[in-house]
CSV table of all heavy atoms in Angstrom, one decimal:
chain,number,residue,atom,x,y,z
A,29,MET,N,-5.7,-23.8,31.5
A,29,MET,CA,-7.1,-23.7,31.8
A,29,MET,C,-7.9,-23.2,30.6
A,29,MET,O,-7.3,-22.6,29.7
A,29,MET,CB,-7.3,-22.8,32.9
A,29,MET,CG,-6.7,-23.1,34.3
A,29,MET,SD,-7.1,-22.1,35.7
A,29,MET,CE,-8.8,-22.5,35.9
A,30,THR,N,-9.1,-23.6,30.5
A,30,THR,CA,-10.0,-23.3,29.3
A,30,THR,C,-10.9,-22.2,29.7
A,30,THR,O,-11.6,-22.3,30.8
A,30,THR,CB,-10.8,-24.5,28.9
A,30,THR,OG1,-9.9,-25.6,28.6
A,30,THR,CG2,-11.6,-24.2,27.7
A,31,PRO,N,-11.0,-21.1,29.0
A,31,PRO,CA,-12.0,-20.0,29.3
A,31,PRO,C,-13.4,-20.5,29.3
A,31,PRO,O,-13.8,-21.4,28.5
A,31,PRO,CB,-11.8,-19.0,28.1
A,31,PRO,CG,-10.4,-19.4,27.6
A,31,PRO,CD,-10.2,-20.8,27.8
A,32,ASN,N,-14.2,-20.0,30.2
A,32,ASN,CA,-15.6,-20.5,30.3
A,32,ASN,C,-16.4,-19.2,30.2
A,32,ASN,O,-16.7,-18.5,31.3
A,32,ASN,CB,-15.8,-21.1,31.7
A,32,ASN,CG,-17.2,-21.4,31.9
A,32,ASN,OD1,-18.1,-21.6,31.1
A,32,ASN,ND2,-17.6,-21.4,33.3
A,33,PRO,N,-17.0,-19.0,29.1
A,33,PRO,CA,-17.8,-17.7,28.9
A,33,PRO,C,-19.2,-17.8,29.5
A,33,PRO,O,-20.2,-17.7,28.8
A,33,PRO,CB,-17.8,-17.5,27.4
A,33,PRO,CG,-17.8,-19.0,26.9
A,33,PRO,CD,-16.9,-19.7,27.8
A,34,ASP,N,-19.2,-17.9,30.8
A,34,ASP,CA,-20.6,-18.0,31.5
A,34,ASP,C,-21.2,-16.6,31.7
A,34,ASP,O,-20.5,-15.7,32.2
A,34,ASP,CB,-20.4,-18.6,32.9
A,34,ASP,CG,-21.6,-18.8,33.6
A,34,ASP,OD1,-21.9,-17.8,34.3
A,34,ASP,OD2,-22.3,-19.8,33.6
A,35,PRO,N,-22.4,-16.4,31.2
A,35,PRO,CA,-23.0,-15.0,31.2
A,35,PRO,C,-23.1,-14.5,32.6
A,35,PRO,O,-22.8,-13.2,32.8
A,35,PRO,CB,-24.3,-15.2,30.5
A,35,PRO,CG,-24.2,-16.4,29.7
A,35,PRO,CD,-23.2,-17.3,30.4
A,36,THR,N,-23.5,-15.2,33.5
A,36,THR,CA,-23.7,-14.7,34.9
A,36,THR,C,-22.4,-14.4,35.5
A,36,THR,O,-22.3,-13.3,36.1
A,36,THR,CB,-24.4,-15.8,35.8
A,36,THR,OG1,-25.7,-16.2,35.2
A,36,THR,CG2,-24.6,-15.3,37.2
A,37,LEU,N,-21.4,-15.2,35.4
A,37,LEU,CA,-20.1,-14.8,35.9
A,37,LEU,C,-19.5,-13.7,35.2
A,37,LEU,O,-18.8,-12.8,35.9
A,37,LEU,CB,-19.1,-16.1,35.8
A,37,LEU,CG,-19.5,-17.3,36.6
A,37,LEU,CD1,-18.6,-18.5,36.3
A,37,LEU,CD2,-19.5,-17.0,38.1
A,38,CYS,N,-19.6,-13.5,33.9
A,38,CYS,CA,-19.1,-12.4,33.2
A,38,CYS,C,-19.8,-11.1,33.6
A,38,CYS,O,-19.1,-10.1,33.7
A,38,CYS,CB,-19.3,-12.6,31.6
A,38,CYS,SG,-18.2,-13.8,30.9
A,39,ALA,N,-21.0,-11.2,33.9
A,39,ALA,CA,-21.7,-10.0,34.4
A,39,ALA,C,-21.2,-9.5,35.7
A,39,ALA,O,-21.1,-8.3,36.0
A,39,ALA,CB,-23.3,-10.2,34.4
A,40,ALA,N,-20.9,-10.5,36.6
A,40,ALA,CA,-20.4,-10.2,37.9
A,40,ALA,C,-19.0,-9.6,37.7
A,40,ALA,O,-18.6,-8.6,38.4
A,40,ALA,CB,-20.4,-11.4,38.8
A,41,LEU,N,-18.2,-10.2,36.8
A,41,LEU,CA,-16.8,-9.6,36.6
A,41,LEU,C,-16.9,-8.2,36.1
A,41,LEU,O,-16.2,-7.3,36.5
A,41,LEU,CB,-16.1,-10.5,35.7
A,41,LEU,CG,-14.7,-10.1,35.2
A,41,LEU,CD1,-13.7,-9.8,36.4
A,41,LEU,CD2,-14.0,-11.0,34.2
A,42,ALA,N,-17.8,-7.9,35.2
A,42,ALA,CA,-17.9,-6.6,34.6
A,42,ALA,C,-18.3,-5.6,35.6
A,42,ALA,O,-17.7,-4.5,35.7
A,42,ALA,CB,-18.9,-6.6,33.5
A,43,ALA,N,-19.2,-6.0,36.5
A,43,ALA,CA,-19.6,-5.1,37.6
A,43,ALA,C,-18.4,-4.7,38.6
A,43,ALA,O,-18.3,-3.5,38.9
A,43,ALA,CB,-20.8,-5.7,38.4
A,44,ASP,N,-17.6,-5.8,38.8
A,44,ASP,CA,-16.5,-5.5,39.7
A,44,ASP,C,-15.4,-4.7,39.0
A,44,ASP,O,-14.8,-3.8,39.7
A,44,ASP,CB,-15.9,-6.9,40.1
A,44,ASP,CG,-16.8,-7.6,41.1
A,44,ASP,OD1,-17.5,-7.0,41.8
A,44,ASP,OD2,-16.6,-8.9,41.2
A,45,LEU,N,-15.2,-4.9,37.8
A,45,LEU,CA,-14.1,-4.1,37.0
A,45,LEU,C,-14.6,-2.7,37.0
A,45,LEU,O,-13.8,-1.7,37.1
A,45,LEU,CB,-13.9,-4.7,35.6
A,45,LEU,CG,-13.3,-6.1,35.5
A,45,LEU,CD1,-13.2,-6.5,34.1
A,45,LEU,CD2,-12.0,-6.1,36.3
A,46,GLN,N,-15.9,-2.5,36.7
A,46,GLN,CA,-16.5,-1.1,36.6
A,46,GLN,C,-16.3,-0.4,38.0
A,46,GLN,O,-15.9,0.8,38.1
A,46,GLN,CB,-17.8,-1.1,36.2
A,46,GLN,CG,-18.5,0.3,36.0
A,46,GLN,CD,-17.8,0.9,34.8
A,46,GLN,OE1,-17.4,0.3,33.8
A,46,GLN,NE2,-17.7,2.3,34.9
A,47,ALA,N,-16.6,-1.1,39.1
A,47,ALA,CA,-16.5,-0.5,40.4
A,47,ALA,C,-15.1,-0.1,40.8
A,47,ALA,O,-14.8,0.8,41.5
A,47,ALA,CB,-17.1,-1.5,41.4
A,48,ALA,N,-14.2,-1.0,40.2
A,48,ALA,CA,-12.7,-0.7,40.6
A,48,ALA,C,-12.1,0.3,39.7
A,48,ALA,O,-10.9,0.6,39.9
A,48,ALA,CB,-11.9,-2.0,40.5
A,49,ARG,N,-12.9,0.9,38.8
A,49,ARG,CA,-12.3,1.8,37.8
A,49,ARG,C,-11.2,1.2,37.0
A,49,ARG,O,-10.2,1.9,36.7
A,49,ARG,CB,-11.9,3.1,38.4
A,49,ARG,CG,-13.0,3.9,39.2
A,49,ARG,CD,-12.5,5.3,39.6
A,49,ARG,NE,-11.3,5.1,40.5
A,49,ARG,CZ,-10.1,5.5,40.2
A,49,ARG,NH1,-9.9,6.1,39.0
A,49,ARG,NH2,-9.1,5.4,41.0
A,50,PHE,N,-11.4,0.0,36.6
A,50,PHE,CA,-10.4,-0.8,35.9
A,50,PHE,C,-10.3,-0.4,34.4
A,50,PHE,O,-10.9,-0.9,33.5
A,50,PHE,CB,-10.7,-2.3,36.0
A,50,PHE,CG,-9.6,-3.2,35.5
A,50,PHE,CD1,-8.4,-3.3,36.3
A,50,PHE,CD2,-9.7,-3.9,34.3
A,50,PHE,CE1,-7.4,-4.2,35.8
A,50,PHE,CE2,-8.7,-4.7,33.9
A,50,PHE,CZ,-7.6,-4.9,34.6
A,51,ARG,N,-9.7,0.8,34.2
A,51,ARG,CA,-9.7,1.5,32.9
A,51,ARG,C,-8.3,1.9,32.6
A,51,ARG,O,-7.4,2.1,33.5
A,51,ARG,CB,-10.6,2.6,32.8
A,51,ARG,CG,-12.1,2.3,33.0
A,51,ARG,CD,-12.7,1.4,31.8
A,51,ARG,NE,-14.1,1.2,31.8
A,51,ARG,CZ,-14.7,0.4,31.0
A,51,ARG,NH1,-14.0,-0.2,30.0
A,51,ARG,NH2,-16.0,0.2,31.1
A,52,SER,N,-8.0,2.2,31.3
A,52,SER,CA,-6.6,2.5,30.9
A,52,SER,C,-6.1,3.7,31.6
A,52,SER,O,-5.0,3.7,32.1
A,52,SER,CB,-6.6,2.7,29.4
A,52,SER,OG,-6.9,1.6,28.7
A,53,GLU,N,-6.8,4.8,31.6
A,53,GLU,CA,-6.4,6.1,32.2
A,53,GLU,C,-6.2,5.9,33.7
A,53,GLU,O,-5.2,6.5,34.2
A,53,GLU,CB,-7.4,7.2,31.9
A,53,GLU,CG,-7.3,7.7,30.5
A,53,GLU,CD,-5.9,8.1,30.1
A,53,GLU,OE1,-5.3,8.9,30.9
A,53,GLU,OE2,-5.5,7.8,29.0
A,54,ALA,N,-7.0,5.1,34.4
A,54,ALA,CA,-6.9,4.9,35.8
A,54,ALA,C,-5.6,4.1,36.1
A,54,ALA,O,-4.8,4.5,37.0
A,54,ALA,CB,-8.1,4.2,36.4
A,55,LEU,N,-5.3,3.1,35.3
A,55,LEU,CA,-4.2,2.3,35.5
A,55,LEU,C,-2.9,3.1,35.2
A,55,LEU,O,-1.9,3.0,35.9
A,55,LEU,CB,-4.2,1.0,34.7
A,55,LEU,CG,-5.2,0.0,35.1
A,55,LEU,CD1,-5.4,-1.1,34.0
A,55,LEU,CD2,-4.7,-0.7,36.4
A,56,ARG,N,-3.0,3.9,34.1
A,56,ARG,CA,-1.8,4.7,33.7
A,56,ARG,C,-1.5,5.7,34.8
A,56,ARG,O,-0.3,6.0,35.2
A,56,ARG,CB,-2.2,5.5,32.4
A,56,ARG,CG,-1.0,6.2,31.8
A,56,ARG,CD,-1.4,6.8,30.4
A,56,ARG,NE,-0.4,7.6,29.8
A,56,ARG,CZ,0.6,7.2,29.0
A,56,ARG,NH1,0.6,5.9,28.8
A,56,ARG,NH2,1.4,8.0,28.5
A,57,ALA,N,-2.5,6.3,35.5
A,57,ALA,CA,-2.3,7.2,36.6
A,57,ALA,C,-1.8,6.5,37.8
A,57,ALA,O,-0.9,7.0,38.6
A,57,ALA,CB,-3.6,8.0,36.9
A,58,ALA,N,-2.2,5.2,38.0
A,58,ALA,CA,-1.8,4.5,39.2
A,58,ALA,C,-0.3,4.1,39.2
A,58,ALA,O,0.3,4.3,40.2
A,58,ALA,CB,-2.6,3.3,39.3
A,59,TRP,N,0.2,3.7,38.1
A,59,TRP,CA,1.6,3.3,38.1
A,59,TRP,C,2.5,4.3,37.4
A,59,TRP,O,3.7,4.1,37.4
A,59,TRP,CB,1.8,1.9,37.6
A,59,TRP,CG,1.2,1.5,36.3
A,59,TRP,CD1,1.2,2.2,35.1
A,59,TRP,CD2,0.4,0.3,36.1
A,59,TRP,NE1,0.5,1.4,34.1
A,59,TRP,CE2,0.0,0.3,34.7
A,59,TRP,CE3,0.0,-0.8,36.9
A,59,TRP,CZ2,-0.7,-0.7,34.2
A,59,TRP,CZ3,-0.8,-1.8,36.3
A,59,TRP,CH2,-1.1,-1.8,35.0
A,60,GLY,N,1.9,5.3,36.8
A,60,GLY,CA,2.7,6.3,36.2
A,60,GLY,C,2.9,6.2,34.7
A,60,GLY,O,2.9,5.1,34.1
A,61,VAL,N,3.1,7.4,34.0
A,61,VAL,CA,3.1,7.4,32.5
A,61,VAL,C,4.3,6.6,32.0
A,61,VAL,O,4.2,5.8,31.0
A,61,VAL,CB,3.2,8.9,32.1
A,61,VAL,CG1,3.4,8.9,30.6
A,61,VAL,CG2,1.9,9.6,32.5
A,62,GLU,N,5.5,6.8,32.6
A,62,GLU,CA,6.7,6.1,32.0
A,62,GLU,C,6.6,4.6,32.2
A,62,GLU,O,6.9,3.8,31.3
A,62,GLU,CB,8.0,6.6,32.7
A,62,GLU,CG,8.3,8.1,32.3
A,62,GLU,CD,9.5,8.5,33.0
A,62,GLU,OE1,10.1,7.8,33.9
A,62,GLU,OE2,10.0,9.7,32.7
A,63,ALA,N,6.0,4.2,33.4
A,63,ALA,CA,5.8,2.8,33.6
A,63,ALA,C,4.8,2.2,32.7
A,63,ALA,O,4.9,1.1,32.2
A,63,ALA,CB,5.4,2.5,35.0
Side-chain angles (χ1 to χ4, degrees):
M29 297 183 72
T30 303
N32 170 31
D34 179 271
T36 301
L37 295 175
C38 285
L41 174 58
D44 286 337
L45 295 178
Q46 186 66 36
R49 297 185 305 111
F50 190 72
R51 297 293 186 185
S52 296
E53 285 304 313
L55 287 166
R56 187 175 177 87
W59 49 49
V61 173
E62 293 180 355

